Amino acid sequence: MTSQASTIAPYGAWPSTISAERVAAGAVPMSALMLGGTDGNDIFWLAGRAAEAGRNTLLRYHGVATQELTPAPFNVRSRVHEYGGGAYVVDGETVYFTHFKDNCVYRMPAGEAPVQVTQAGQQRFADFALDRARNRLIAVRELHGEDAHAQPANTICAIGLDAAAGVETVLVQGADFYSSPRLSPDGRSLAWLSWDHPRMPWQGTTLWLADFNADGTLSTPKRIAGGAEESICQPEWSPDNLLHFVSDRSGWWNLYRLCRDRQRTEGLCPMEAEFATPHWTFGNSMYGFRSAAEIICTYIDKGVSRLARLLPGSGKLECIANPYEEIRELRVANGYIAMLAGGPTIPMELARIDFTEEGVEILAQSIDDLPDEANLSIPDSISYASNGRTAHAFYYPPRNQDVQAPTGSKPPVIVIGHGGPTGMTVNTLNLKTQYWTSRGFGVLDVNYGGSTGFGRAYRDLLKGQWGIVDVEDCVNGARALVERGLADGDRLIIRGSSAGGLTTLCALTFHDVFKAGASYYGVSDLKGLDQDSHKFESHYNEYLIAPKAQADAVYAQRSPINHTDKLSRPMIFFQGLDDKVVPPQQSEMMVAALKKRGIPVEYVELEGEGHGFRKAENIIRTLEAELRFYQNIFKLNHA
């Protein structure tokens, strides 16, 4: 705390200039980075528009100016696997994209209005690749039937662009899931990934390769790598037609390539670091080629991203200086690197690093109106003991240069369990976190056992242990802060969204450390989640909880909805009524049970919102409601 602080106020009741309106206006989601244009030097990306019901619009940086390419109501967003991604591809000056409302593919030449390519129907598309030699797109297709309860059929298909425009031809089928169709630079071969139930892609995937026949069909596919216990990610071709990929066969997601004889693969730079992230969405890019002899890559070391130059011939890895600690995506051109990246005092931004110049050029930021850095809480990366293992987290102390707490008092702390649960929390500047710290709350953002970024063994700690290991690591993280004198043990809060909502509910139900909680579209009934889940996650619980033969007994034991008699802490629930991943009844059952027992509970339901809230008014509403709830529960003075 600075010596200039002029106001004394209790922790949790500090006045702050970081309002909910500022959070909603400032946090522009940025994703799906791509290069294109006539010379390949234009940079494209998607930006979320909270003020426009959360639609994704396509932006293009050309020369020194940024232009918006897709006018409202176009929403560049895919619904394949429900989580989407890979919603567009660039061919010189022409963009092909899928529109969220009708799931159709559109063609948009430079300066012209989008023109529909595919016919309306039950199909969805993602992860496009351009097959210029045959004048078509290749994409992952998810075909839904009239029966809403039947699982859709996933394939890799070609979409004609010439006289057969819009005609869909299946190229690969038979597996439950597909991703990453990638054409070789010479146009002769196609690589792709597949996997089957009950696996998720970070458990086991297979990399395939096939050559094209004269009629555009594929020859018999050859398995290159992967299987039931090996996760393959991001296949890419080098400029000289060598297939590269990321595999966790060593226990870490590292880079490999297929040798020129196509008979064996070789590791390029074995190390205890992660060169990939889980395939929740399509189109992820963590490495690219400056030339056939040089790869530019990012990897995660102990939860923090590094940028490097890799020489495949020697395996030499050279760090590239940059100010970021999270590099979410990168694309590589001959002369520069484009990245979506951020850090503790840097919001997610589009950055360009030129190979011939020093420094970083900032092309766009997710937050235009940045708070004074003196009011920003800078996280500490901490590790602590948790039931015989080591857990990891970022701790954000309360910080506001204009306010200080009464001498001798300790702050309430909000512990956050991230979603996924196979996900990862990062330390990029997030106004939602600063909303709390600037008001005198501490925040502990936990990378519990099961998180990515720490190798497969750490990721597999959650196998059969969801609702146990994640909860223990959140509970023990809170206890560690109390022991270190950083938190008030009587004002510990836990909050989480989606899978983090289950962590929240289990922590409040089966442990007595936390005094209140907030669940954002959280899971309360594991059996109900199985029954209502979409195809992508319909067998996920077999890994996280138990195989189906043993599932019912374990579900009953671990689902908070079956143990509401043990839950006596106040809670607030937030739920999108259009959520297809965690349906509203998951929250509604818990709210009804708590009301019946007379436990203080609030329920905020949001029309037109799905799995995650995109509308500005709802971001504001939920933050303000959550703050009031905590202040009322802990009797903090507030306006």
Side-chain angles (χ1 to χ4, degrees):
M1 201 63 59
T2 69
S3 59
Q4 298 176 345
S6 58
T7 302
I8 296 178
Y11 283 118
W14 294 355
S16 171
T17 59
I18 304 176
S19 65
E21 288 84 359
R22 192 173 184 182
V23 173
V28 176
M30 304 171 72
S31 63
L33 187 62
M34 198 164 290
L35 305 181
T38 303
D39 57 5
N41 283 326
D42 290 351
I43 303 173
F44 298 76
W45 73 99
L46 295 179
R49 297 282 192 241
E52 300 177 44
R55 83 176 182 97
N56 281 346
T57 189
L58 181 62
L59 301 179
R60 175 189 187 186
Y61 181 83
H62 177 70
V64 295
T66 296
Q67 61 181 137
E68 183 172 357
L69 300 181
T70 47
F74 283 106
N75 186 357
V76 185
R77 182 179 165 200
S78 166
R79 293 190 63 186
V80 179
H81 296 176
E82 297 299 338
Y83 295 104
Y88 77 98
V89 70
V90 180
D91 182 17
E93 297 292 316
T94 300
V95 174
Y96 297 91
F97 69 90
T98 179
H99 176 36
F100 183 74
K101 184 175 181 180
D102 60 15
N103 299 306
C104 290
V105 175
Y106 287 77
R107 180 178 183 269
M108 185 173 61
E112 299 182 24
V115 177
Q116 186 173 324
V117 174
T118 59
Q119 300 299 311
Q122 297 296 319
Q123 65 272 49
R124 305 173 181 180
F125 301 95
D127 218 359
F128 301 100
L130 285 159
D131 187 358
R132 295 184 179 90
R134 301 163 189 86
N135 199 20
R136 62 187 185 177
L137 294 176
I138 294 177
V140 174
R141 186 183 74 177
E142 186 174 88
L143 181 59
H144 292 249
E146 296 299 327
D147 183 356
H149 299 288
Q151 290 196 340
N154 292 66
T155 59
I156 293 177
C157 81
I159 303 170
L161 298 176
D162 51 15
V167 173
E168 301 164 24
T169 304
V170 174
L171 299 177
V172 186
Q173 61 184 328
D176 289 323
F177 300 99
Y178 293 96
S179 77
S180 312
R182 299 292 181 262
L183 276 85
S184 59
D186 61 14
R188 296 177 180 178
S189 304
L190 182 73
W192 68 91
L193 297 175
S194 72
W195 66 97
D196 291 301
H197 286 316
R199 295 172 188 84
M200 300 298 284
W202 45 87
Q203 294 171 250
T205 54
T206 301
L207 173 62
W208 300 93
L209 179 62
D211 293 330
F212 284 104
N213 298 316
D215 62 356
T217 60
L218 288 170
S219 62
T220 302
K222 178 182 179 180
R223 175 188 169 279
I224 300 302
E229 302 298 329
E230 179 184 0
S231 174
I232 308 294
C233 307
Q234 200 186 335
E236 300 287 356
W237 294 89
S238 65
D240 59 344
N241 290 289
L242 286 181
L243 180 61
H244 291 61
F245 59 96
V246 178
S247 167
D248 70 352
R249 63 181 62 166
S250 69
W252 297 84
W253 269 318
N254 280 189
L255 275 162
Y256 294 79
R257 70 180 175 189
L258 178 64
C259 296
R260 198 167 295 280
D261 61 9
R262 293 190 174 184
Q263 299 302 310
R264 58 190 178 89
T265 61
E266 59 182 356
L268 300 183
C269 182
M271 60 190 294
E272 292 187 352
E274 303 276 60
F275 287 76
T277 55
H279 177 92
W280 282 103
T281 58
F282 294 96
N284 300 329
S285 178
M286 291 183 66
Y287 73 94
F289 298 90
R290 185 182 180 190
S291 69
E294 185 177 341
I295 296 172
I296 304 299
C297 58
T298 178
Y299 61 90
I300 302 168
D301 179 20
K302 299 179 179 62
V304 174
S305 294
R306 312 295 184 191
L307 182 66
R309 175 185 292 106
L310 173 61
L311 305 179
S314 64
K316 184 178 181 180
L317 189 72
E318 301 173 344
C319 289
I320 300 174
N322 71 94
Y324 304 110
E325 294 191 17
E326 181 199 2
I327 301 174
R328 188 170 298 174
E329 298 182 35
L330 66 77
R331 298 285 178 177
V332 184
N334 287 333
Y336 67 91
I337 310 165
M339 303 187 299
L340 292 178
T345 61
I346 306 171
M348 186 58 54
E349 58 189 23
L350 173 59
R352 172 181 166 137
I353 296 179
D354 196 295
F355 290 120
T356 61
E357 300 177 8
E358 293 186 0
V360 176
E361 181 183 5
I362 310 305
L363 305 183
Q365 281 191 318
S366 60
I367 302 174
D368 291 328
D369 181 20
L370 286 172
D372 188 327
E373 191 166 323
N375 286 329
L376 295 180
S377 178
I378 309 302
D380 293 321
S381 180
I382 68 171
S383 299
Y384 52 90
S386 181
N387 288 44
R389 60 186 177 272
T390 300
H392 309 280
F394 293 109
Y395 171 63
Y396 297 79
R399 189 175 187 189
N400 186 324
Q401 66 175 342
D402 299 318
V403 193
Q404 64 181 12
T407 302
S409 62
K410 295 176 182 177
V413 167
I414 300 171
V415 175
I416 301 175
H418 63 69
T422 307
M424 174 185 173
T425 190
V426 295
N427 62 3
T428 291
L429 176 61
N430 185 334
L431 286 187
K432 286 185 178 179
T433 303
Q434 304 297 326
Y435 178 85
W436 299 108
T437 57
S438 64
R439 286 169 169 76
F441 291 86
V443 173
L444 185 71
D445 210 352
V446 181
N447 270 317
Y448 50 75
S451 302
T452 52
F454 302 89
R456 178 144 187 166
Y458 194 78
R459 195 164 77 238
D460 280 343
L461 286 174
L462 213 58
K463 185 176 182 179
Q465 298 295 304
W466 186 30
I468 297 177
V469 165
D470 51 322
V471 174
E472 290 172 348
D473 289 356
C474 288
V475 166
N476 289 319
R479 286 174 173 160
L481 292 185
V482 173
E483 291 170 0
R484 299 178 192 187
L486 299 173
D488 182 346
D490 292 324
R491 292 188 294 173
L492 295 173
I493 302 162
I494 186 166
R495 74 192 294 270
S497 59
S498 188
L502 177 75
T503 304
T504 295
L505 291 167
C506 286
L508 291 165
T509 302
F510 303 118
H511 299 266
D512 60 1
V513 170
F514 298 103
K515 311 306 179 185
S519 170
Y520 280 73
Y521 40 92
V523 178
S524 63
D525 177 17
L526 292 165
K527 186 170 184 177
L529 182 66
D530 261 5
Q531 293 170 342
D532 297 325
S533 184
H534 56 110
K535 180 183 178 182
F536 181 64
E537 293 184 276
S538 60
H539 291 261
Y540 193 13
N541 281 346
E542 294 182 39
Y543 169 82
L544 293 170
I545 306 292
K548 288 191 178 295
Q550 296 88 41
D552 283 352
V554 182
Y555 284 4
Q557 180 184 21
R558 215 174 290 178
S559 294
I561 192 61
N562 298 326
H563 304 278
T564 54
D565 59 310
K566 298 179 181 179
L567 177 55
S568 58
R569 304 301 191 190
M571 286 202 66
I572 186 167
F573 292 79
F574 301 94
Q575 180 67 52
L577 296 183
D578 293 344
D579 196 335
K580 306 300 182 185
V581 178
V582 179
Q585 55 263 36
Q586 291 272 320
S587 293
E588 293 165 358
M589 290 187 298
M590 288 299 297
V591 172
L594 291 175
K595 283 184 176 179
K596 186 176 181 180
R597 295 188 56 235
I599 307 298
V601 62
E602 291 185 22
Y603 181 46
V604 180
E605 54 185 18
L606 303 168
E607 292 186 4
E609 293 283 18
H611 199 64
F613 305 150
R614 294 170 174 264
K615 298 179 181 179
E617 62 269 27
N618 290 333
I619 296 171
I620 295 168
R621 180 183 175 190
T622 54
L623 275 175
E624 291 182 342
E626 188 178 354
L627 174 64
R628 285 195 303 270
F629 182 76
Y630 297 150
Q631 291 178 331
N632 288 333
I633 292 299
F634 295 117
K635 296 181 172 56
L636 297 169
N637 297 322
H638 61 92

